[in-house]
Amino acid sequence: MYDPKSLCADEFIDDGEIRETLAYADANKDNIELIDSILEKARPRRTDKGTFCTGLTHREASVLLACDIPEKVQQMYDLAEEIKKAFYGNRIVMFAPLYLSNYCVNGCLYCPYHMKNKHIARKKLTQEEVAKEVIALQDMGHKRLAIEAGEDPVNNPIEYILDCINTIYSIKHKNGAIRRVNVNIAATTVENYRKLKDAGIGTYILFQETYHKESYLKLHPTGPKHDYNYHTEAMDRAMEGGIDDVGLGVLFGLELYRYEFAGLLMHAEHLEAVHGVGPHTISVPRVKRADDIDPSQFDNGISDEIFAKICALIRIAVPYTGMIISTRESQAVREKVIRLGVSQISGASRTSVGGYTDEDRPHDTEQFDVSDQRTLDEVVCWLMDMGYIPSFCTACYREGRTGDRFMSLCKSGQIQNCCHPNALMTLKEFLMDYASQHTREIGDKLIEKEIDNIPSPKVREIVIKNLKEIAEGSRDFRF
Ligand code: SAM
C-alpha cells in the first residue's frame, strides 16, 4: 500500500502507485485543460516576501512527461527556465569527483568496478596519494569535491573514508582549499552516517540506479547492494544520522524513464513527508560505455531530447532542489540542460583512481568514459561566454545553512543578496589564482556587470570592498 510517510521502501516507492500514475499520465497526455492547470500550478508566484513555487506531485509531473504536444512541451521548457532564473539566477556551482578506491564487492551489471571484472586494475589511494590528488585539484581551482568509492568493507571501511575526508580538508596548498566534501559511497548504517556528519561532509549522495525493484534485483545480482530495501531506505538512515543534505539520482538507461521519473519524485515526496525537507540535489546520470560495459546491453537508453525534458520537469516539480550534471554528458547536452534547470556541474573530471596526478588521462581504472574532457579554465570560460557565473561557493553548509535552513533561504528571496555575491567573490578568487589571461579578462568584466544585480546597496558596498581585497591577496569572504 502506497504511503509516502512509511519508512519501508516498498510502501513509499509503491510499484502499484507508479503503475497507476503511468496509466493516469497516459490517459491524460492530451488533456489540454489538465496540462494547462498543472503548468499554472507550477508557475512562480512573486510576493513582497519573495518568490514561491509549489512544485508538482509525481502524478502531475508524470502527466507533463507523457504529453508530447509540441506547444505544451515548449511551455514546459519556458517554465523550467523561468523557475531556474527565479531561484538560481545565472549561477552555476562547480565541483569535481575524486575517486578514492575502485575495490568493490558488488556485482552491478552496468559498472566496470563490479567484483567479477578481473582485468581492471584495482587501486586504492594512500593518504599521501589523496594529498597529491587534492593538490592537483586545488591547482585547477576546485573548492568542492564529491568523493567516490566502490563498496568494500575490508578495503574501503568507513575509517578509510573518514581518513580521506580529514586529509582532503587539511591540505592548504598555496591559496587552495577544499571547502566542501560531498560523499558518494554505498548505503551504510546510521552510525556511519553520523561519523560522516561529524567529519564535516556536505551532501551525502546515493543514486538509486533504478526504482524498479524487480530490475534492481537483477541489475545487482550479488553483494550488499543487492538489498533493494536497505539501499532505498539509506537516505532515511542518513537523515537519522544527522545529515540533512542528501542527493538522489537515477541511472537513466537501465529501466523505463517514465517509471524512474515517478519513483524519483515519490522519493523526494517521501523525504519531505517524513523529515520535513526534500532532497538537496538530484543527479541525472546516463549509463556510459566503460571497461567491460556496453550501454547498448541495456534497452532503455533515452534520447537527448527526452533527457532535456526530464531535466526541465525535475526543475518544475522540485524547484528548490539543486540539479547536477556530470561530464558523462557532452558540451552540447550540458549547454541545453543548464538552461533548463541544472545548477551544478563538474569540470575537468577524471573518473579513475589517482587520475588527477597523471599527466595523461588514464583509462585503466576509469569508471566510465568522460564526454566533456575540457579543462576547468575552458569550462569556466565557456560558462561565462554564455552569460553564466561559475560559482565556487561553499558558504551555505559552512554557515550551517543546510536542510530546511537552506530551503528557507531559497524561498525567502534573499538568495540574490547571498548566493549571488558569494558566487562573484569565489569567481574572483578563481580568476586571481588559476585562470588564464583570457578567462580573467572575461571574468572581470562579468563581475563588474553583475555587481549591479545585487539588490541590497549595503551588501553591494561590502562586495565591492571584498573584491578589492581579494585582488590584493585576501581570500574566503562569504555571506
Ligand atoms: N559504490 C557506490 C554506490 O554503489 O552507490 C558509490 C558510487 S559509484 C562510484 C557512482 C555512480 O556511478 C553509481 O551510483 C552509478 O550510478 C554510476 N555508474 C556506474 N557505472 C556507470 C556507467 N557505466 N556509466 C555511467 N554511470 C555509471
Side-chain angles (χ1 to χ4, degrees):
M1 250 276 286
Y2 177 49
D3 178 5
K5 283 203 163 149
S6 166
L7 291 175
C8 170
D10 298 317
E11 293 178 357
F12 66 80
I13 307 291
D14 176 59
D15 178 66
E17 171 61 22
I18 299 187
R19 288 178 195 283
E20 275 178 36
T21 297
L22 298 186
Y24 174 77
D26 274 334
N28 285 290
K29 71 200 235 323
D30 296 314
N31 181 344
I32 302 225
E33 205 178 314
L34 178 67
I35 290 162
D36 282 345
S37 72
I38 295 173
L39 286 169
E40 189 50 38
K41 178 188 171 192
R43 233 169 264 297
R45 310 247 177 277
R46 291 181 176 82
T47 71
D48 47 359
K49 288 206 180 91
T51 303
F52 298 89
C53 265
T54 46
L56 294 177
T57 64
H58 61 278
R59 282 213 176 196
E60 293 162 338
S62 293
V63 172
L64 297 188
L65 185 59
C67 163
D68 46 21
I69 305 167
E71 185 200 338
K72 295 294 149 196
V73 175
Q74 188 54 48
Q75 287 175 11
M76 294 173 209
Y77 285 168
D78 293 345
L79 180 57
E81 262 193 87
E82 188 186 339
I83 294 174
K84 157 116 203 239
K85 279 197 193 117
F87 296 111
Y88 301 89
N90 54 351
R91 297 173 299 280
I92 300 289
V93 169
M94 307 298 304
F95 77 99
L98 171 58
Y99 281 76
L100 300 176
S101 167
N102 64 359
Y103 283 95
C104 194
V105 296
N106 285 315
C108 315
L109 298 187
Y110 49 83
C111 180
Y113 291 174
H114 67 88
M115 198 181 183
K116 283 198 187 133
N117 188 350
K118 297 291 177 211
H119 50 86
I120 194 167
R122 297 289 167 173
K123 200 167 161 185
K124 166 187 168 181
L125 297 179
T126 63
Q127 295 312 307
E128 289 70 31
E129 287 167 332
V130 171
K132 280 191 189 151
E133 290 279 289
V134 170
I135 288 171
L137 284 156
Q138 288 185 6
D139 277 344
M140 286 183 220
H142 278 295
K143 298 282 186 272
R144 181 190 276 253
L145 300 183
I147 55 173
E148 311 274 342
E151 178 167 15
D152 185 329
V154 174
N155 286 298
N156 320 327
I158 194 73
E159 290 70 26
Y160 169 71
I161 304 292
L162 297 170
D163 282 350
C164 292
I165 295 170
N166 279 334
T167 303
I168 295 168
Y169 279 134
S170 73
I171 308 290
K172 301 278 173 325
H173 171 68
K174 298 185 184 160
N175 278 338
I178 299 302
R179 299 172 181 156
R180 178 176 178 129
V181 178
N182 296 334
V183 175
N184 183 5
I185 60 164
T188 184
T189 59
V190 174
E191 196 190 346
N192 285 348
Y193 286 124
R194 200 161 283 128
K195 289 179 184 169
L196 289 170
K197 168 76 182 170
D198 292 344
I201 70 158
T203 312
Y204 171 65
I205 299 165
L206 181 69
F207 299 158
Q208 177 63 30
E209 322 300 5
T210 175
Y211 284 97
H212 191 287
K213 186 169 184 174
E214 211 182 304
S215 298
Y216 182 98
L217 296 175
K218 285 188 196 139
L219 287 159
H220 306 94
T222 53
K225 196 165 172 176
H226 178 73
D227 187 337
Y228 170 87
N229 286 47
Y230 188 74
H231 186 83
T232 312
E233 292 156 10
M235 294 315 189
D236 297 298
R237 292 193 301 280
M239 289 206 168
E240 198 185 329
I243 299 174
D244 51 7
D245 280 350
V246 299
L248 304 181
V250 155
L251 187 56
F252 284 102
L254 301 179
E255 245 304 331
L256 293 173
Y257 69 90
R258 290 177 55 207
Y259 191 101
E260 303 294 23
F261 179 75
L264 186 60
L265 294 184
M266 283 162 71
H267 201 171
E269 286 163 13
H270 160 73
L271 296 177
E272 182 90 46
V274 175
H275 308 281
V277 48
H280 188 66
T281 56
I282 287 182
S283 300
V284 285
R286 284 196 279 188
V287 183
K288 295 280 301 177
R289 182 168 301 282
D291 185 65
D292 67 344
I293 307 296
D294 173 3
S296 66
Q297 293 170 247
F298 307 100
D299 302 335
N300 297 304
I302 52 174
S303 66
D304 291 351
E305 214 154 292
I306 294 292
F307 185 62
K309 194 171 173 195
I310 290 172
C311 292
L313 290 177
I314 290 176
R315 179 70 301 128
I316 294 173
V318 281
Y320 302 113
T321 296
M323 211 192 312
I324 302 181
I325 191 121
S326 75
T327 54
R328 289 175 182 88
E329 299 298 336
S330 66
Q331 175 177 338
V333 170
R334 275 151 70 100
E335 222 160 283
K336 189 162 180 186
V337 294
I338 284 174
R339 197 161 43 81
L340 296 174
V342 164
S343 55
Q344 285 190 34
I345 69 167
S346 47
S349 304
R350 299 249 168 128
T351 63
S352 44
V353 182
Y356 295 106
T357 6
D358 286 317
E359 280 282 303
D360 299 319
R361 183 174 287 277
H363 294 291
D364 60 335
T365 64
E366 210 169 35
Q367 198 198 10
F368 53 82
D369 286 358
V370 167
S371 292
D372 185 344
Q373 302 205 354
R374 292 170 296 168
T375 64
L376 187 58
D377 187 74
E378 285 166 341
V379 173
V380 165
C381 197
W382 159 76
L383 285 172
M384 296 193 300
D385 278 339
M386 295 188 293
Y388 293 106
I389 309 171
S391 172
F392 293 87
C393 178
T394 53
C396 271
Y397 118 94
R398 294 163 81 212
E399 293 292 325
R401 290 189 297 257
T402 58
D404 55 355
R405 287 171 301 277
F406 168 77
M407 297 294 173
S408 4
L409 174 78
C410 230
K411 293 171 190 172
S412 70
Q414 278 310 307
I415 223 163
Q416 199 66 4
N417 277 320
C418 187
C419 302
H420 189 72
N422 285 337
L424 297 182
M425 294 188 296
T426 54
L427 174 61
K428 181 68 181 174
E429 290 186 349
F430 176 85
L431 298 177
M432 293 300 300
D433 292 335
Y434 308 106
S436 63
Q437 178 70 22
H438 175 68
T439 303
R440 189 177 307 157
E441 282 166 15
I442 293 180
D444 280 336
K445 273 191 210 136
L446 180 75
I447 292 174
E448 214 178 299
K449 191 175 110 215
E450 290 289 346
I451 289 173
D452 294 340
N453 293 330
I454 303 172
S456 154
K458 195 157 169 252
V459 173
R460 209 178 313 139
E461 203 179 302
I462 299 171
V463 171
I464 293 171
K465 182 172 150 283
N466 290 351
L467 286 168
K468 195 161 163 275
E469 288 187 28
I470 293 170
E472 288 161 0
S474 297
R475 294 290 175 269
D476 206 11
F477 294 101
R478 62 178 183 263
F479 286 95

